[in-house]
Amino acid sequence: MNGEIIGEGLIKQFGNYTAVSGVSFKVETGEVFGFLGPNGAGKSTTVAMLTTLALPTQGRALVGGHDVVTEAADVRRIAGVALQEIGLDPIMKSMELLTIQGQLFGMSRREARDRAMELLTIVKLDEPGVMDRRVGKYSGGMRRRLDLALALVHRPRILFLDEPTTGLDPASRRDVWNEVRRLNREYGMTIFLTTQYLEEADELAQRIAIIDKGQIAIEGKPADLKAALGGESINLTFDTPETAMQAQDAVQHMADRTQLDRNVLRLYRPKAAEIVSPVVSVLNDGGFSPSALTLSAPTLDDVFLQVTGQRYEEDAGTGPVAETFARRGKSADKKAS
Amino acid sequence: MTTITQSGVTALPVKKAARAEGMPFIHQVSTMTARAFRNSLRVPFAIIPGVLISIFFLFIYTGTLGDAAGFLPGLRGQSYLGFILPLSVLSAALSGSSLAGDGIVRDIENGYFDKLMLTPANRAALLLGHMISGAFLLVIQTGIVISVAVLMGLEPATGIGGVLALMGISLLLGTAFAGLPVGVALMSGSSAATSGASFLFFPLSFLTASFVPLNLLSGWIETAAYLNPVTYVIEAGRALLNTGWDGDVILRGFSSILLMAAIFFTFALFALRVRMKRK
């Protein structure tokens, strides 16, 4: 069964503004594909074209073998969509929303109700106290999970998730991740996931494309992309960018590659752990005292920096940024200790 | 494609979805109507003020002008209550006509409309649900207003048949009027613009023989009243309540409603096409 998603030279212009400028990709049946990029990179516009909500200005896209322009009805039937903007009527209840959705997809009322109950159990919204409430009273995480359930009503073989965890607390985010993995594993569902969280793409996607300014900057398996950067890195934090720059001169010869990011200096080379102690002594001899030293495997963050020339966080808004940073820091620390 | 999916894959639970060509149109409409109606009942404050204002008008007009009615040449021997009630019914129809537009614009604003657009549902069913539910509520509102008038001593010249005909007029008029706010809702997607659209009806309900018979008007307002289709609708209502089954007047009333329905629905359909067109 065809669960492929193919984009060929997709372009979308709004007046003079080009939101997506020539995007091509192929997602295989049963794959989780991460479409990663900062706000305004063109992710949602691409999803809108793939899900028949917007027409491409140029280019072509096939979803499950159906052309999104000429066979929109077929695309809608086989694809489930959870948009970034959650589309729930706040004065309705979860059961009502799910049942109507099922009926509009051709189920009998009974079938639709059974399916609704099944989905409410899956997304853990099946407690009586929750089901009795209007969805306007739900928390962000609950709304997001219900929206996901709505996307699954008609048992789609392809699922589009546009920033499914934006605005969620870490626990709810975990829940969504587990559900995405489960859908992919148990039903072989093809999942096209956009996200602005590097960590999310890394966790979930078998393959990712980084989209920046309307174009795909790089595409591949997360491990390959990271490996291409060349091994692990020693990350040295200094008090000022100037000190970091001077320290770079002192230790540059010890690494395959160095990278300066404000007051953080990174030394890349395979098995970087082996050179920690020589690096520290060289720094001591030179009178540099880093305020922190961590060791980390390359992250998608590094990949992003490499391909776009800017650190991911600078573009990606405020809230999630701090968290990405914090998590990165934490995992790096663990590895170093 | 249906056959491939059905026979090819048994491990995956897709058979129901693959079979679905969507539910029959009439079912879609009834499902969406029930949903819109239930929603309206959950927000009763969207309905109650309309009814109250109509009843308020009824009290005020009869209270201030009721005794003077005997002196008005065109009204001698007739009930002022019967004369003014059609205006009250018109105001109920007006407030009812905005319900459909409000419901649609709410769906657009909270994103639910997009969710429905992603189903194979017929696009017209998504609108008709709101419009039929709005019409239901309008009939209920009109019924309440007429009941109050009966309690106040209304004795319609055409009896119960006339009252039903008046409710029919209200239903048709409200539905015809609904075309405008629905069109604006689809076109703008903005609730402010949609409620603004209903205000356009305000002059229509006053540039007419509101408080005195048509033949007592003069000058520009007489011209305006003659041109205003709402005038003939009110005249038809008055005939039903005060004079009897006057075929010509009633026919003119219904034709006026059809004329307005044609205009507003053409606009609504145009707006629907604009909204549905993928950009």
Side-chain angles (χ1 to χ4, degrees), chain A residues 1 12 52 54-55 68-69 76-77 89-92 96-97 103 105-106 147 154-155 187, chain B residues 12-14 17 19-21 23 35 39 42 106 110 112 115 117-120 123 278-279:
Chain A
M1 193 173 54
K12 181 66 186 180
T52 76
L55 285 175
V68 297
V69 177
R76 287 185 197 127
R77 202 150 35 230
D89 182 349
I91 61 176
M92 291 170 74
E96 296 162 354
L97 284 162
Q103 285 179 294
F105 270 107
D147 199 54
H154 57 300
R155 302 171 201 268
Y187 302 111
Chain B
L12 289 173
V14 290
R19 172 206 78 188
E21 291 301 320
M23 70 202 300
R35 174 241 162 193
N39 273 5
R42 281 185 190 165
R106 247 175 38 84
N110 64 33
Y112 187 54
K115 187 117 277 180
M117 291 267 278
L118 286 165
T119 71
R123 276 50 188 139
R278 283 191 279 168
K279 296 187 183 74

mmCIF file of all heavy atoms in Angstrom, chain A residues 1 12 52 54-55 68-69 76-77 89-92 96-97 103 105-106 147 154-155 187, chain B residues 12-14 17 19-21 23 35 39 42 106 110 112 115 117-120 123 278-279:
data_model
loop_
_atom_site.group_PDB
_atom_site.id
_atom_site.type_symbol
_atom_site.label_atom_id
_atom_site.label_comp_id
_atom_site.label_asym_id
_atom_site.label_seq_id
_atom_site.Cartn_x
_atom_site.Cartn_y
_atom_site.Cartn_z
ATOM 1 N N MET A 1 0.841 -1.193 0.000
ATOM 2 C CA MET A 1 0.000 0.000 0.000
ATOM 3 C C MET A 1 0.874 1.240 0.000
ATOM 4 O O MET A 1 1.863 1.304 0.705
ATOM 5 C CB MET A 1 -0.875 -0.007 1.241
ATOM 6 C CG MET A 1 -1.959 1.005 1.156
ATOM 7 S SD MET A 1 -3.078 0.813 2.534
ATOM 8 C CE MET A 1 -1.989 0.883 3.905
ATOM 9 N N LYS A 12 5.702 28.075 -3.271
ATOM 10 C CA LYS A 12 4.489 28.766 -2.868
ATOM 11 C C LYS A 12 4.791 30.233 -2.671
ATOM 12 O O LYS A 12 5.644 30.612 -1.868
ATOM 13 C CB LYS A 12 3.947 28.173 -1.563
ATOM 14 C CG LYS A 12 2.672 28.827 -1.081
ATOM 15 C CD LYS A 12 1.526 28.563 -2.018
ATOM 16 C CE LYS A 12 0.279 29.328 -1.616
ATOM 17 N NZ LYS A 12 -0.838 29.056 -2.545
ATOM 18 N N THR A 52 -3.759 19.572 0.986
ATOM 19 C CA THR A 52 -4.802 20.130 0.106
ATOM 20 C C THR A 52 -5.435 21.421 0.617
ATOM 21 O O THR A 52 -6.434 21.864 0.079
ATOM 22 C CB THR A 52 -5.968 19.134 -0.177
ATOM 23 O OG1 THR A 52 -6.820 19.068 0.973
ATOM 24 C CG2 THR A 52 -5.468 17.741 -0.514
ATOM 25 N N ALA A 54 -3.798 24.288 0.622
ATOM 26 C CA ALA A 54 -3.276 25.377 -0.200
ATOM 27 C C ALA A 54 -2.791 24.802 -1.524
ATOM 28 O O ALA A 54 -2.391 23.639 -1.584
ATOM 29 C CB ALA A 54 -2.126 26.088 0.515
ATOM 30 N N LEU A 55 -2.869 25.590 -2.559
ATOM 31 C CA LEU A 55 -2.402 25.140 -3.873
ATOM 32 C C LEU A 55 -0.963 25.562 -4.081
ATOM 33 O O LEU A 55 -0.608 26.695 -3.784
ATOM 34 C CB LEU A 55 -3.248 25.782 -4.977
ATOM 35 C CG LEU A 55 -4.654 25.252 -5.213
ATOM 36 C CD1 LEU A 55 -5.342 26.116 -6.256
ATOM 37 C CD2 LEU A 55 -4.609 23.811 -5.676
ATOM 38 N N VAL A 68 -2.029 16.136 -5.078
ATOM 39 C CA VAL A 68 -2.727 16.993 -4.111
ATOM 40 C C VAL A 68 -3.599 18.058 -4.779
ATOM 41 O O VAL A 68 -4.493 18.611 -4.144
ATOM 42 C CB VAL A 68 -1.753 17.694 -3.127
ATOM 43 C CG1 VAL A 68 -1.015 16.675 -2.280
ATOM 44 C CG2 VAL A 68 -0.780 18.588 -3.865
ATOM 45 N N VAL A 69 -3.320 18.328 -6.052
ATOM 46 C CA VAL A 69 -4.123 19.345 -6.731
ATOM 47 C C VAL A 69 -5.345 18.718 -7.398
ATOM 48 O O VAL A 69 -6.473 19.155 -7.200
ATOM 49 C CB VAL A 69 -3.275 20.107 -7.777
ATOM 50 C CG1 VAL A 69 -4.137 21.111 -8.535
ATOM 51 C CG2 VAL A 69 -2.125 20.819 -7.091
ATOM 52 N N ARG A 76 -7.430 13.544 1.044
ATOM 53 C CA ARG A 76 -8.097 13.757 2.344
ATOM 54 C C ARG A 76 -8.524 12.441 2.974
ATOM 55 O O ARG A 76 -8.548 12.304 4.186
ATOM 56 C CB ARG A 76 -9.329 14.647 2.168
ATOM 57 C CG ARG A 76 -8.960 16.088 1.918
ATOM 58 C CD ARG A 76 -10.194 16.969 1.863
ATOM 59 N NE ARG A 76 -9.810 18.230 1.225
ATOM 60 C CZ ARG A 76 -10.421 18.769 0.184
ATOM 61 N NH1 ARG A 76 -11.476 18.182 -0.334
ATOM 62 N NH2 ARG A 76 -9.988 19.881 -0.327
ATOM 63 N N ARG A 77 -8.887 11.488 2.123
ATOM 64 C CA ARG A 77 -9.397 10.227 2.650
ATOM 65 C C ARG A 77 -8.296 9.375 3.273
ATOM 66 O O ARG A 77 -8.536 8.640 4.210
ATOM 67 C CB ARG A 77 -10.093 9.466 1.521
ATOM 68 C CG ARG A 77 -11.075 8.447 2.020
ATOM 69 C CD ARG A 77 -12.215 8.248 1.047
ATOM 70 N NE ARG A 77 -11.790 8.373 -0.330
ATOM 71 C CZ ARG A 77 -12.390 9.135 -1.230
ATOM 72 N NH1 ARG A 77 -13.441 9.830 -0.915
ATOM 73 N NH2 ARG A 77 -11.939 9.188 -2.460
ATOM 74 N N ASP A 89 -13.778 23.100 18.322
ATOM 75 C CA ASP A 89 -14.838 23.996 18.740
ATOM 76 C C ASP A 89 -14.929 23.941 20.265
ATOM 77 O O ASP A 89 -15.282 22.908 20.824
ATOM 78 C CB ASP A 89 -16.161 23.558 18.102
ATOM 79 C CG ASP A 89 -17.294 24.498 18.477
ATOM 80 O OD1 ASP A 89 -17.092 25.339 19.370
ATOM 81 O OD2 ASP A 89 -18.373 24.386 17.878
ATOM 82 N N PRO A 90 -14.615 25.050 20.949
ATOM 83 C CA PRO A 90 -14.485 25.014 22.415
ATOM 84 C C PRO A 90 -15.767 24.656 23.163
ATOM 85 O O PRO A 90 -15.689 24.202 24.302
ATOM 86 C CB PRO A 90 -14.031 26.429 22.771
ATOM 87 C CG PRO A 90 -14.367 27.266 21.593
ATOM 88 C CD PRO A 90 -14.310 26.366 20.395
ATOM 89 N N ILE A 91 -16.928 24.868 22.557
ATOM 90 C CA ILE A 91 -18.132 24.569 23.344
ATOM 91 C C ILE A 91 -18.664 23.163 23.091
ATOM 92 O O ILE A 91 -19.712 22.783 23.591
ATOM 93 C CB ILE A 91 -19.251 25.616 23.175
ATOM 94 C CG1 ILE A 91 -19.716 25.691 21.736
ATOM 95 C CG2 ILE A 91 -18.823 26.964 23.660
ATOM 96 C CD1 ILE A 91 -20.886 26.640 21.581
ATOM 97 N N MET A 92 -17.910 22.357 22.346
ATOM 98 C CA MET A 92 -18.326 20.971 22.160
ATOM 99 C C MET A 92 -17.530 20.051 23.089
ATOM 100 O O MET A 92 -16.540 20.446 23.674
ATOM 101 C CB MET A 92 -18.137 20.558 20.703
ATOM 102 C CG MET A 92 -19.102 21.266 19.780
ATOM 103 S SD MET A 92 -18.701 20.994 18.054
ATOM 104 C CE MET A 92 -19.253 19.306 17.849
ATOM 105 N N GLU A 96 -18.429 14.325 21.007
ATOM 106 C CA GLU A 96 -19.213 14.920 19.917
ATOM 107 C C GLU A 96 -18.315 15.248 18.722
ATOM 108 O O GLU A 96 -18.646 14.932 17.567
ATOM 109 C CB GLU A 96 -19.893 16.203 20.394
ATOM 110 C CG GLU A 96 -20.918 15.976 21.493
ATOM 111 C CD GLU A 96 -21.274 17.238 22.261
ATOM 112 O OE1 GLU A 96 -20.650 18.300 22.025
ATOM 113 O OE2 GLU A 96 -22.169 17.158 23.095
ATOM 114 N N LEU A 97 -17.175 15.847 19.014
ATOM 115 C CA LEU A 97 -16.253 16.213 17.937
ATOM 116 C C LEU A 97 -15.791 14.987 17.167
ATOM 117 O O LEU A 97 -15.793 14.961 15.933
ATOM 118 C CB LEU A 97 -15.031 16.938 18.523
ATOM 119 C CG LEU A 97 -15.249 18.389 18.946
ATOM 120 C CD1 LEU A 97 -14.139 18.842 19.880
ATOM 121 C CD2 LEU A 97 -15.297 19.284 17.730
ATOM 122 N N GLN A 103 -18.426 10.393 11.354
ATOM 123 C CA GLN A 103 -19.599 10.318 10.481
ATOM 124 C C GLN A 103 -19.346 11.001 9.143
ATOM 125 O O GLN A 103 -19.752 10.500 8.103
ATOM 126 C CB GLN A 103 -20.801 10.963 11.173
ATOM 127 C CG GLN A 103 -21.385 10.099 12.277
ATOM 128 C CD GLN A 103 -22.552 10.791 12.955
ATOM 129 O OE1 GLN A 103 -22.371 11.814 13.608
ATOM 130 N NE2 GLN A 103 -23.751 10.252 12.789
ATOM 131 N N PHE A 105 -16.678 11.136 7.682
ATOM 132 C CA PHE A 105 -15.827 10.249 6.887
ATOM 133 C C PHE A 105 -16.577 8.979 6.483
ATOM 134 O O PHE A 105 -15.987 8.044 5.961
ATOM 135 C CB PHE A 105 -14.550 9.883 7.651
ATOM 136 C CG PHE A 105 -13.428 10.846 7.408
ATOM 137 C CD1 PHE A 105 -13.045 11.754 8.384
ATOM 138 C CD2 PHE A 105 -12.755 10.861 6.201
ATOM 139 C CE1 PHE A 105 -12.006 12.646 8.165
ATOM 140 C CE2 PHE A 105 -11.718 11.747 5.971
ATOM 141 C CZ PHE A 105 -11.342 12.649 6.956
ATOM 142 N N GLY A 106 -17.873 8.930 6.755
ATOM 143 C CA GLY A 106 -18.673 7.842 6.218
ATOM 144 C C GLY A 106 -19.007 6.731 7.192
ATOM 145 O O GLY A 106 -19.585 5.718 6.799
ATOM 146 N N ASP A 147 -6.799 16.721 19.402
ATOM 147 C CA ASP A 147 -6.612 17.080 17.995
ATOM 148 C C ASP A 147 -5.953 15.934 17.234
ATOM 149 O O ASP A 147 -6.316 15.629 16.097
ATOM 150 C CB ASP A 147 -5.765 18.349 17.905
ATOM 151 C CG ASP A 147 -5.900 19.034 16.551
ATOM 152 O OD1 ASP A 147 -7.046 19.311 16.161
ATOM 153 O OD2 ASP A 147 -4.877 19.266 15.900
ATOM 154 N N HIS A 154 -10.303 8.469 10.865
ATOM 155 C CA HIS A 154 -10.575 7.669 9.663
ATOM 156 C C HIS A 154 -9.438 6.702 9.344
ATOM 157 O O HIS A 154 -9.318 6.246 8.222
ATOM 158 C CB HIS A 154 -10.861 8.586 8.486
ATOM 159 C CG HIS A 154 -9.745 9.563 8.204
ATOM 160 N ND1 HIS A 154 -9.319 10.498 9.129
ATOM 161 C CD2 HIS A 154 -8.959 9.755 7.126
ATOM 162 C CE1 HIS A 154 -8.342 11.206 8.605
ATOM 163 N NE2 HIS A 154 -8.091 10.769 7.392
ATOM 164 N N ARG A 155 -8.625 6.391 10.342
ATOM 165 C CA ARG A 155 -7.521 5.438 10.205
ATOM 166 C C ARG A 155 -6.654 5.746 8.971
ATOM 167 O O ARG A 155 -6.538 4.939 8.045
ATOM 168 C CB ARG A 155 -8.062 4.002 10.082
ATOM 169 C CG ARG A 155 -8.915 3.618 11.264
ATOM 170 C CD ARG A 155 -9.612 2.299 11.003
ATOM 171 N NE ARG A 155 -10.782 2.154 11.858
ATOM 172 C CZ ARG A 155 -10.760 1.572 13.054
ATOM 173 N NH1 ARG A 155 -9.641 1.067 13.506
ATOM 174 N NH2 ARG A 155 -11.841 1.496 13.757
ATOM 175 N N TYR A 187 1.052 0.477 13.174
ATOM 176 C CA TYR A 187 0.238 0.553 11.955
ATOM 177 C C TYR A 187 1.053 0.841 10.710
ATOM 178 O O TYR A 187 0.498 0.969 9.621
ATOM 179 C CB TYR A 187 -0.847 1.626 12.109
ATOM 180 C CG TYR A 187 -1.750 1.384 13.281
ATOM 181 C CD1 TYR A 187 -1.710 2.210 14.387
ATOM 182 C CD2 TYR A 187 -2.622 0.302 13.288
ATOM 183 C CE1 TYR A 187 -2.531 1.979 15.483
ATOM 184 C CE2 TYR A 187 -3.437 0.057 14.372
ATOM 185 C CZ TYR A 187 -3.392 0.897 15.460
ATOM 186 O OH TYR A 187 -4.197 0.655 16.531
ATOM 187 N N LEU B 12 -3.969 -3.885 8.391
ATOM 188 C CA LEU B 12 -4.185 -2.507 8.808
ATOM 189 C C LEU B 12 -5.669 -2.189 8.875
ATOM 190 O O LEU B 12 -6.429 -2.556 7.996
ATOM 191 C CB LEU B 12 -3.519 -1.554 7.814
ATOM 192 C CG LEU B 12 -2.002 -1.549 7.866
ATOM 193 C CD1 LEU B 12 -1.459 -0.717 6.731
ATOM 194 C CD2 LEU B 12 -1.518 -1.015 9.191
ATOM 195 N N PRO B 13 -6.073 -1.505 9.905
ATOM 196 C CA PRO B 13 -7.500 -1.224 10.075
ATOM 197 C C PRO B 13 -7.955 -0.027 9.245
ATOM 198 O O PRO B 13 -8.376 0.965 9.779
ATOM 199 C CB PRO B 13 -7.604 -0.914 11.571
ATOM 200 C CG PRO B 13 -6.254 -0.375 11.930
ATOM 201 C CD PRO B 13 -5.269 -0.965 10.994
ATOM 202 N N VAL B 14 -7.849 -0.150 7.949
ATOM 203 C CA VAL B 14 -8.228 0.994 7.119
ATOM 204 C C VAL B 14 -9.506 0.763 6.333
ATOM 205 O O VAL B 14 -9.937 1.628 5.603
ATOM 206 C CB VAL B 14 -7.120 1.364 6.096
ATOM 207 C CG1 VAL B 14 -5.932 1.952 6.798
ATOM 208 C CG2 VAL B 14 -6.749 0.170 5.273
ATOM 209 N N ALA B 17 -12.313 3.404 6.492
ATOM 210 C CA ALA B 17 -11.978 4.686 5.900
ATOM 211 C C ALA B 17 -11.973 4.592 4.382
ATOM 212 O O ALA B 17 -12.453 5.482 3.698
ATOM 213 C CB ALA B 17 -10.625 5.151 6.394
ATOM 214 N N ARG B 19 -13.625 2.682 2.470
ATOM 215 C CA ARG B 19 -14.954 2.537 1.914
ATOM 216 C C ARG B 19 -15.696 3.872 1.878
ATOM 217 O O ARG B 19 -16.585 4.118 1.069
ATOM 218 C CB ARG B 19 -15.719 1.537 2.786
ATOM 219 C CG ARG B 19 -17.156 1.444 2.449
ATOM 220 C CD ARG B 19 -17.983 0.984 3.619
ATOM 221 N NE ARG B 19 -18.206 2.061 4.556
ATOM 222 C CZ ARG B 19 -18.768 1.858 5.727
ATOM 223 N NH1 ARG B 19 -19.076 0.660 6.128
ATOM 224 N NH2 ARG B 19 -18.976 2.876 6.544
ATOM 225 N N ALA B 20 -15.295 4.729 2.794
ATOM 226 C CA ALA B 20 -16.084 5.924 2.995
ATOM 227 C C ALA B 20 -16.039 6.867 1.807
ATOM 228 O O ALA B 20 -15.006 7.396 1.470
ATOM 229 C CB ALA B 20 -15.570 6.656 4.234
ATOM 230 N N GLU B 21 -17.164 7.077 1.215
ATOM 231 C CA GLU B 21 -17.257 8.149 0.241
ATOM 232 C C GLU B 21 -17.929 9.326 0.930
ATOM 233 O O GLU B 21 -18.481 10.193 0.307
ATOM 234 C CB GLU B 21 -18.058 7.704 -0.976
ATOM 235 C CG GLU B 21 -17.370 6.646 -1.835
ATOM 236 C CD GLU B 21 -16.020 7.119 -2.359
ATOM 237 O OE1 GLU B 21 -15.896 8.298 -2.750
ATOM 238 O OE2 GLU B 21 -15.083 6.304 -2.368
ATOM 239 N N MET B 23 -20.752 10.461 4.164
ATOM 240 C CA MET B 23 -22.135 10.077 4.420
ATOM 241 C C MET B 23 -23.038 10.783 3.421
ATOM 242 O O MET B 23 -22.628 11.762 2.811
ATOM 243 C CB MET B 23 -22.499 10.410 5.869
ATOM 244 C CG MET B 23 -22.604 11.883 6.166
ATOM 245 S SD MET B 23 -22.396 12.310 7.930
ATOM 246 C CE MET B 23 -23.706 11.429 8.705
ATOM 247 N N ARG B 35 -25.693 19.606 15.487
ATOM 248 C CA ARG B 35 -24.536 20.127 16.207
ATOM 249 C C ARG B 35 -24.675 21.647 16.422
ATOM 250 O O ARG B 35 -24.426 22.152 17.524
ATOM 251 C CB ARG B 35 -23.282 19.796 15.393
ATOM 252 C CG ARG B 35 -22.006 20.374 15.920
ATOM 253 C CD ARG B 35 -21.380 21.313 14.924
ATOM 254 N NE ARG B 35 -20.415 22.188 15.546
ATOM 255 C CZ ARG B 35 -19.925 23.255 14.938
ATOM 256 N NH1 ARG B 35 -20.312 23.559 13.723
ATOM 257 N NH2 ARG B 35 -19.078 24.023 15.546
ATOM 258 N N ASN B 39 -25.074 23.597 19.979
ATOM 259 C CA ASN B 39 -24.154 24.685 20.338
ATOM 260 C C ASN B 39 -24.916 25.928 20.768
ATOM 261 O O ASN B 39 -24.556 26.573 21.746
ATOM 262 C CB ASN B 39 -23.267 25.036 19.146
ATOM 263 C CG ASN B 39 -22.023 24.182 19.087
ATOM 264 O OD1 ASN B 39 -21.865 23.263 19.896
ATOM 265 N ND2 ASN B 39 -21.153 24.463 18.148
ATOM 266 N N ARG B 42 -26.223 25.808 24.121
ATOM 267 C CA ARG B 42 -25.185 25.909 25.152
ATOM 268 C C ARG B 42 -24.790 27.353 25.418
ATOM 269 O O ARG B 42 -24.132 27.655 26.400
ATOM 270 C CB ARG B 42 -23.945 25.114 24.737
ATOM 271 C CG ARG B 42 -24.151 23.653 24.989
ATOM 272 C CD ARG B 42 -22.940 22.832 24.720
ATOM 273 N NE ARG B 42 -23.341 21.434 24.777
ATOM 274 C CZ ARG B 42 -22.635 20.429 24.319
ATOM 275 N NH1 ARG B 42 -21.468 20.659 23.775
ATOM 276 N NH2 ARG B 42 -23.077 19.206 24.407
ATOM 277 N N ARG B 106 -17.559 31.708 13.860
ATOM 278 C CA ARG B 106 -16.911 31.102 15.018
ATOM 279 C C ARG B 106 -16.097 29.878 14.598
ATOM 280 O O ARG B 106 -14.968 29.681 15.021
ATOM 281 C CB ARG B 106 -17.973 30.671 16.039
ATOM 282 C CG ARG B 106 -17.964 31.436 17.359
ATOM 283 C CD ARG B 106 -19.132 31.010 18.243
ATOM 284 N NE ARG B 106 -19.413 29.583 18.156
ATOM 285 C CZ ARG B 106 -18.780 28.646 18.854
ATOM 286 N NH1 ARG B 106 -17.865 28.989 19.716
ATOM 287 N NH2 ARG B 106 -19.078 27.385 18.707
ATOM 288 N N ASN B 110 -12.067 29.679 15.166
ATOM 289 C CA ASN B 110 -11.391 28.734 16.060
ATOM 290 C C ASN B 110 -10.746 27.556 15.315
ATOM 291 O O ASN B 110 -10.207 26.648 15.933
ATOM 292 C CB ASN B 110 -12.315 28.255 17.190
ATOM 293 C CG ASN B 110 -13.503 27.471 16.685
ATOM 294 O OD1 ASN B 110 -13.412 26.762 15.684
ATOM 295 N ND2 ASN B 110 -14.619 27.577 17.362
ATOM 296 N N TYR B 112 -12.009 25.214 13.517
ATOM 297 C CA TYR B 112 -12.777 23.985 13.326
ATOM 298 C C TYR B 112 -13.230 23.828 11.872
ATOM 299 O O TYR B 112 -13.343 22.721 11.358
ATOM 300 C CB TYR B 112 -13.987 23.996 14.266
ATOM 301 C CG TYR B 112 -14.773 22.705 14.293
ATOM 302 C CD1 TYR B 112 -14.135 21.494 14.561
ATOM 303 C CD2 TYR B 112 -16.141 22.680 14.045
ATOM 304 C CE1 TYR B 112 -14.845 20.318 14.584
ATOM 305 C CE2 TYR B 112 -16.852 21.499 14.065
ATOM 306 C CZ TYR B 112 -16.206 20.314 14.332
ATOM 307 O OH TYR B 112 -16.902 19.141 14.349
ATOM 308 N N LYS B 115 -10.755 21.991 9.986
ATOM 309 C CA LYS B 115 -10.820 20.574 10.339
ATOM 310 C C LYS B 115 -11.921 19.888 9.527
ATOM 311 O O LYS B 115 -11.742 18.783 9.024
ATOM 312 C CB LYS B 115 -11.101 20.456 11.840
ATOM 313 C CG LYS B 115 -11.024 19.079 12.366
ATOM 314 C CD LYS B 115 -9.909 18.949 13.378
ATOM 315 C CE LYS B 115 -8.579 18.738 12.729
ATOM 316 N NZ LYS B 115 -7.479 18.605 13.642
ATOM 317 N N MET B 117 -13.078 20.975 6.709
ATOM 318 C CA MET B 117 -12.678 21.033 5.299
ATOM 319 C C MET B 117 -11.769 19.871 4.925
ATOM 320 O O MET B 117 -11.620 19.542 3.759
ATOM 321 C CB MET B 117 -11.934 22.344 5.023
ATOM 322 C CG MET B 117 -12.796 23.563 5.097
ATOM 323 S SD MET B 117 -13.447 23.991 3.499
ATOM 324 C CE MET B 117 -12.048 24.869 2.820
ATOM 325 N N LEU B 118 -11.115 19.296 5.919
ATOM 326 C CA LEU B 118 -10.206 18.185 5.648
ATOM 327 C C LEU B 118 -10.954 16.854 5.576
ATOM 328 O O LEU B 118 -10.356 15.812 5.376
ATOM 329 C CB LEU B 118 -9.123 18.117 6.730
ATOM 330 C CG LEU B 118 -8.054 19.207 6.627
ATOM 331 C CD1 LEU B 118 -7.244 19.303 7.900
ATOM 332 C CD2 LEU B 118 -7.138 18.947 5.441
ATOM 333 N N THR B 119 -12.253 16.877 5.774
ATOM 334 C CA THR B 119 -13.066 15.670 5.619
ATOM 335 C C THR B 119 -13.706 15.703 4.226
ATOM 336 O O THR B 119 -13.701 16.741 3.571
ATOM 337 C CB THR B 119 -14.205 15.619 6.660
ATOM 338 O OG1 THR B 119 -15.174 16.616 6.322
ATOM 339 C CG2 THR B 119 -13.693 15.874 8.066
ATOM 340 N N PRO B 120 -14.239 14.559 3.787
ATOM 341 C CA PRO B 120 -14.894 14.576 2.474
ATOM 342 C C PRO B 120 -16.275 15.242 2.506
ATOM 343 O O PRO B 120 -16.996 15.184 1.538
ATOM 344 C CB PRO B 120 -15.045 13.084 2.132
ATOM 345 C CG PRO B 120 -14.345 12.325 3.199
ATOM 346 C CD PRO B 120 -14.207 13.213 4.377
ATOM 347 N N ARG B 123 -19.279 20.795 1.176
ATOM 348 C CA ARG B 123 -19.047 22.134 1.721
ATOM 349 C C ARG B 123 -20.352 22.843 2.061
ATOM 350 O O ARG B 123 -20.448 23.585 3.027
ATOM 351 C CB ARG B 123 -18.239 22.991 0.743
ATOM 352 C CG ARG B 123 -16.733 22.811 0.817
ATOM 353 C CD ARG B 123 -16.318 21.379 0.760
ATOM 354 N NE ARG B 123 -14.901 21.159 1.022
ATOM 355 C CZ ARG B 123 -14.432 20.179 1.756
ATOM 356 N NH1 ARG B 123 -15.242 19.327 2.332
ATOM 357 N NH2 ARG B 123 -13.143 20.001 1.907
ATOM 358 N N ARG B 278 -9.022 27.034 -3.030
ATOM 359 C CA ARG B 278 -7.705 26.900 -2.411
ATOM 360 C C ARG B 278 -6.801 27.988 -2.937
ATOM 361 O O ARG B 278 -6.784 28.281 -4.123
ATOM 362 C CB ARG B 278 -7.117 25.524 -2.751
ATOM 363 C CG ARG B 278 -7.722 24.432 -1.930
ATOM 364 C CD ARG B 278 -6.921 23.170 -2.114
ATOM 365 N NE ARG B 278 -7.289 22.488 -3.330
ATOM 366 C CZ ARG B 278 -6.576 21.480 -3.840
ATOM 367 N NH1 ARG B 278 -5.455 21.110 -3.267
ATOM 368 N NH2 ARG B 278 -6.964 20.873 -4.934
ATOM 369 N N LYS B 279 -6.050 28.585 -2.034
ATOM 370 C CA LYS B 279 -5.190 29.684 -2.481
ATOM 371 C C LYS B 279 -3.762 29.203 -2.646
ATOM 372 O O LYS B 279 -3.380 28.208 -2.112
ATOM 373 C CB LYS B 279 -5.254 30.819 -1.469
ATOM 374 C CG LYS B 279 -6.647 31.399 -1.384
ATOM 375 C CD LYS B 279 -6.690 32.642 -0.499
ATOM 376 C CE LYS B 279 -8.114 33.133 -0.379
ATOM 377 N NZ LYS B 279 -8.908 32.262 0.510
#
